Amino acid sequence: MFQGKVAVITGGAKGIGKVIASQFYNAGAQVCTIDLLKNNYYVGNLADQAVLEDFAHKVLTDFGHVDYLINNAVPLMKGIDECSYEEFNYALQVGVTAPFYLAKLFAPHFAPGAAIVNISSSRDRMSQPQTESYTAAKGGISALTHALAVSFAGKVRVNSISPGWIDTSFTVYDGPDAAQQPAGRVGNPMDIANMVLYLCSNKAGFITGENICIDGGMTHQMIYHNDFGWNLQKGDHT
């Protein structure tokens, strides 16, 4: 399905990004990853404008075009109590600015039928305490998605995925961790990679500007004190 296609994946050295990269590779694509960690293509900091420009130049020199851009790199997570001005900006640079700028750099070079998939998070609509930098970045990339979809109308389809709890080590949970999820289990990276490849395929040709939440149903589950065994104690959540 993806034989000879060029897939660019940020944060592709580990976790969800690594699985996405391997699935594209197994499907016949040329895979271009960028990560701070060692990988087979490009090591660099996505918060650095010069790095983004050099990376894009390398991709276009090597392949001449881009079919798929997967913005997956994980921004810093720090909360209002400890996150500095510089750290908050860094999270936004990795989580929002880099996806925007790569889309801009590749804009003249997207092939017919191209697609962008942004990896957001269910935190774009719900939060835990002390997660402001990550949550703001994920909210930003969700909004960036529909803006790009409109700007790239007729040229590039742009969608985002909001994962819930995804265990990147493929640990299988039982007990409350699994039972609390309406789907009955914790997610794994293949749950996300499968949707990424679908959104990049011709089968998703009428889908653009959409955010798809893959969270086992958790964001649709209403929770009240003393309901179905849930209990809120002062100063603690149980």
Side-chain angles (χ1 to χ4, degrees):
M1 181 187 300
F2 299 107
Q3 195 68 39
K5 301 292 188 180
V6 178
V8 174
I9 303 165
T10 71
K14 69 174 185 177
I16 292 172
K18 184 175 182 178
V19 174
I20 293 170
S22 68
Q23 291 303 300
F24 269 116
Y25 178 81
N26 292 341
Q30 301 283 351
V31 176
C32 307
T33 56
I34 178 172
D35 202 302
L36 280 172
L37 300 175
K38 183 178 179 181
N39 63 85
N40 292 329
Y41 193 76
Y42 193 101
V43 175
N45 183 358
L46 285 161
D48 187 327
Q49 179 181 349
V51 167
L52 295 174
E53 291 170 352
D54 187 62
F55 172 65
H57 178 75
K58 175 174 171 56
V59 171
L60 295 172
T61 299
D62 289 346
F63 300 105
H65 73 279
V66 171
D67 293 284
Y68 314 117
L69 170 60
I70 316 302
N71 291 303
N72 164 80
V74 179
L76 179 74
M77 183 187 286
K78 277 199 169 184
I80 188 108
D81 288 355
E82 295 185 358
C83 187
S84 69
Y85 182 88
E86 292 77 15
E87 288 170 329
F88 192 85
N89 274 340
Y90 179 78
L92 295 182
Q93 287 173 325
V94 172
V96 184
T97 306
F100 164 78
Y101 199 48
L102 287 176
K104 183 178 179 69
L105 292 169
F106 290 134
H109 308 283
F110 281 115
I116 297 173
V117 180
N118 297 319
I119 305 301
S120 182
S121 169
S122 58
R123 293 175 189 270
D124 65 1
R125 67 204 68 188
M126 59 193 297
S127 293
Q128 292 173 300
Q130 303 301 321
T131 62
E132 279 76 13
S133 65
Y134 186 92
T135 299
K138 291 306 186 180
I141 200 169
S142 290
L144 178 65
T145 295
H146 56 74
L148 287 174
V150 174
S151 293
F152 282 149
K155 183 177 181 180
V156 183
R157 292 183 301 101
V158 188
N159 294 289
S160 61
I161 296 171
S162 290
W165 182 359
I166 303 295
D167 190 288
T168 56
S169 64
F170 289 86
T171 301
V172 176
Y173 293 80
D174 54 18
D177 287 328
Q180 71 177 334
Q181 315 262 348
R185 66 174 176 86
V186 171
N188 66 67
M190 282 301 298
D191 293 314
I192 309 306
N194 286 336
M195 181 57 72
V196 170
L197 267 67
Y198 171 74
L199 289 173
C200 289
S201 74
N202 292 334
K203 294 179 180 179
F206 200 54
I207 304 174
T208 192
E210 193 60 58
N211 178 283
I212 299 172
C213 188
I214 302 178
D215 70 341
M218 284 294 288
T219 53
H220 294 295
Q221 180 168 252
M222 299 179 72
I223 299 174
Y224 294 97
H225 173 64
N226 279 339
D227 191 14
F228 299 104
W230 293 97
N231 181 262
L232 178 66
Q233 298 178 9
K234 185 176 180 180
D236 186 26
H237 296 272
T238 59

